[in-house]
Amino acid sequence: MILRTLFIIAGFAGIIAIFYVSWFWRALIAPMIIILFWDTIASFLRKKND
């Protein structure tokens, strides 16, 4: 569980770092994080219900 959480945090940090470098992609940071956060929460809920 701890390793999974670390990978999720590292993934978010990597996405922010990559998209923050380019001014064109800065507008996509928030929607991308929201989509990934939603997908992560949905996967946790799906596995919890099984």
Side-chain angles (χ1 to χ4, degrees):
M1 184 69 177
I2 294 172
L3 186 62
R4 187 176 190 178
T5 306
L6 287 175
F7 275 117
I8 291 170
I9 292 171
F12 285 135
I15 288 169
I16 291 170
I18 289 169
F19 284 109
Y20 192 73
V21 171
S22 173
W23 63 269
F24 179 76
W25 295 106
R26 287 185 190 177
L28 295 178
I29 290 174
M32 183 67 81
I33 290 174
I34 290 170
I35 290 168
L36 287 173
F37 184 70
W38 181 265
D39 186 51
T40 303
I41 296 299
S43 70
F44 277 131
L45 291 176
R46 188 173 341 145
K47 292 190 179 203
K48 190 175 184 180
N49 288 337
D50 286 343

